[in-house]
């Protein structure tokens, strides 16, 4: 299918929040696919806190793909707070999430309902397997993902979404599984990350002051003077750990919690590896 039928190319903005690169990778593949199909697609990074202005829709496209990592079963809190300031005015939006192989389902429906409340029309959603952020501290969840099979599914998703963007398929996202958990319960599990990340990201030794760890931070939490994350605002996304070219930002070893996590989730490493990315129309 092609986006061009003797008309100007469709303008598609791809907003993505990505602390450690998985979501950015899927966003990049989706962009490539849209360009191949003749659309005018633009990647817009909404990770740094300076990129999310209250009430301001980034980009100029009428169509949006929004890619987010799952943080504690939902979209990251800072993104939810920002989305709640936007007015969609009927803009079509397709979602996708990357996740580390554990809880995912509340993310689709809770983000969809937030966006619909803001006036967006949610046309599709997807989930892609990605190495878990806490692998940086010794976990082994979804190592090596997204892989080629995940990227193929991303391409197929982009093509299906295009039919909804053009209106060739005028349906919106079908019914998704609703969570039985209350907002209060979902809020409370966000604290779990700090039972595992006991040493907040902190710079060890002197550095070149390149500023990458400060600029990439989604919450403005990394102090440029001390090189330490603020305890109250840090969301444990580990963008700063990945951003430092000299690997100077360290966290604690979380490997002990890995087998505990598998036990409490009732899943084996082998079963996790078999998980597949998928999309919902
Ligand atoms: C604070 C935090 C909470 C997370 N919660 C979940 C979760 O509930 N379920 C899951 O499968 N993965 C979870 N993850 C893993 C990320 O969703 C996954 O690694 C994602 O692909 C990261 O995307 P990024 O590389 O674009 O930042 C969490 C990661 C972080 C940092
Ligand atoms: S300081 Fe915290 S919120 Fe900021 S990038 Fe580092 S881990 Fe993420
Ligand atoms: S990214 Fe690393 S080198 Fe650059 S300012 Fe931060 S700690 Fe220093």
């Amino acid at each position: 299918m092609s986006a061009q039928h003797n008309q100007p190319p469709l303008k598609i903005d791809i907003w993505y929040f990505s602390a450690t690169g998985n979501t950015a990778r899927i966003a990049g593949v989706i962009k490539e696919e849209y360009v191949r199909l003749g659309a005018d697609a633009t990647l817009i990074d909404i990770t740094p806190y300076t990129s999310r202005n209250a009430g301001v829709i980034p980009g100029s496209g009428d169509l949006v793909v929004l890619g987010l990592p799952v943080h504690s079963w939902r979209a990251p809190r800072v993104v939810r707070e920002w989305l709640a300031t936007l007015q969609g005015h009927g803009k079509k939006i397709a979602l996708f999430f990357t996740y580390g192989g554990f809880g995912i389902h509340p993310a689709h429906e809770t983000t969809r309902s937030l966006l619909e409340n803001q006036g967006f029309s949610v046309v599709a959603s997807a989930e892609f397997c990605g190495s878990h952020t806490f692998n940086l501290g010794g976990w082994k969840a979804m190592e090596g993902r997204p892989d080629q099979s995940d990227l193929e599914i991303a391409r197929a998703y982009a093509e299906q979404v295009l039919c909804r963007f053009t209106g060739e398929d005028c349906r919106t996202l079908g019914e998704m599984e609703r969570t039985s958990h209350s907002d209060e319960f979902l809020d409370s599990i966000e604290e779990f990350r700090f039972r595992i990340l006991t040493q907040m990201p902190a710079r060890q030794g002197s550095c070149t002051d390149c500023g990458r760890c400060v600029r990439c931070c989604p919450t403005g939490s990394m102090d440029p003077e001390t090189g330490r994350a603020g305890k109250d605002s840090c969301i444990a996304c580990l963008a700063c750990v990945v951003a430092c070219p000299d690997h100077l930002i360290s966290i604690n070893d979380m490997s002990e919690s890995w087998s505990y996590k598998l036990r409490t989730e009732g899943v084996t490493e082998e079963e996790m590896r078999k998980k597949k990315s998928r999309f919902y129309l």
Side-chain angles (χ1 to χ4, degrees):
M1 113 131 255
S2 165
Q4 286 178 308
H5 300 285
N6 299 324
Q7 286 178 357
L10 289 181
K11 257 182 104 41
I12 303 172
D13 290 331
I14 304 167
W15 305 346
Y16 68 94
F17 179 105
S18 186
T20 62
N22 295 335
T23 316
R25 187 133 177 249
I26 300 290
V29 165
I30 289 176
K31 178 191 163 159
E32 271 172 30
E33 190 60 11
Y34 282 141
V35 170
R36 189 183 73 77
L37 292 167
D40 175 4
T42 308
L43 286 171
I44 300 178
D45 184 0
I46 57 162
T47 319
Y49 73 100
T50 47
S51 66
R52 283 173 270 114
N53 295 316
V56 179
I57 299 249
S60 56
D62 288 329
L63 307 162
V64 177
V65 176
L66 170 62
L68 304 171
V70 171
H71 281 186
S72 307
W73 299 4
R74 290 184 291 182
R77 172 177 290 277
V78 287
V79 177
R80 283 185 272 132
E81 287 169 356
W82 172 67
L83 293 175
T85 69
L86 305 182
Q87 295 302 320
H89 300 294
K91 211 182 248 287
K92 287 184 185 174
I93 189 164
L95 310 177
F96 76 84
F97 296 92
T98 66
Y99 77 117
F102 296 111
I104 169 83
H105 261 284
H108 294 285
E109 187 53 39
T110 54
T111 311
R112 177 230 202 115
S113 101
L114 193 172
L115 286 163
E116 286 179 350
N117 284 341
Q118 298 308 120
F120 290 90
S121 171
V122 180
V123 297
S125 194
E127 63 203 34
F128 297 100
C129 300
S131 62
H132 198 295
T133 311
F134 294 166
N135 292 356
L136 291 164
W139 283 23
K140 295 181 186 313
M142 293 287 175
E143 288 176 309
R145 307 288 287 276
D147 61 16
Q148 281 311 317
S149 67
D150 301 306
L151 302 185
E152 280 312 310
I153 294 168
R155 288 191 185 94
Y157 179 57
E159 190 159 352
Q160 291 291 328
V161 165
L162 195 59
C163 296
R164 296 220 164 158
F165 280 166
T166 58
E168 184 181 325
D169 173 353
C170 55
R171 290 170 296 175
T172 55
L173 174 62
E175 195 70 20
M176 295 290 296
E177 185 179 324
R178 281 172 198 276
T179 178
S180 55
H181 296 300
S182 65
D183 286 350
E184 291 70 27
F185 175 79
L186 293 172
D187 286 348
S188 72
I189 65 167
E190 289 183 10
E191 290 309 311
F192 175 71
R193 64 191 73 168
F194 296 111
R195 275 190 251 147
I196 298 168
L197 185 74
T198 50
Q199 183 205 314
M200 305 297 285
R203 184 175 67 212
Q204 306 298 322
S206 59
C207 79
T208 57
D209 281 333
C210 73
R212 286 185 206 187
C213 56
V214 174
R215 284 195 300 276
C216 73
C217 179
T219 57
S221 182
M222 177 51 74
D223 185 325
E225 301 300 322
T226 63
R228 290 180 172 275
K231 181 103 184 81
D232 295 332
S233 52
C234 175
I235 57 169
C237 70
L238 307 191
C240 53
V241 173
V242 171
C244 180
D246 297 326
H247 311 292
L248 292 175
I249 301 183
S250 65
I251 51 170
N252 58 294
D253 179 4
M254 305 188 222
S255 51
E256 267 192 20
S257 61
W258 172 234
S259 42
Y260 171 79
K261 180 72 176 169
L262 288 177
R263 238 185 0 264
T264 52
E265 297 281 339
V267 69
T268 64
E269 279 186 39
E270 183 59 19
E271 283 165 346
M272 286 196 73
R273 268 195 291 276
K274 287 190 186 146
K275 289 203 178 188
K276 288 189 165 52
S277 297
R278 55 175 301 186
F279 53 80
Y280 306 87
L281 297 168

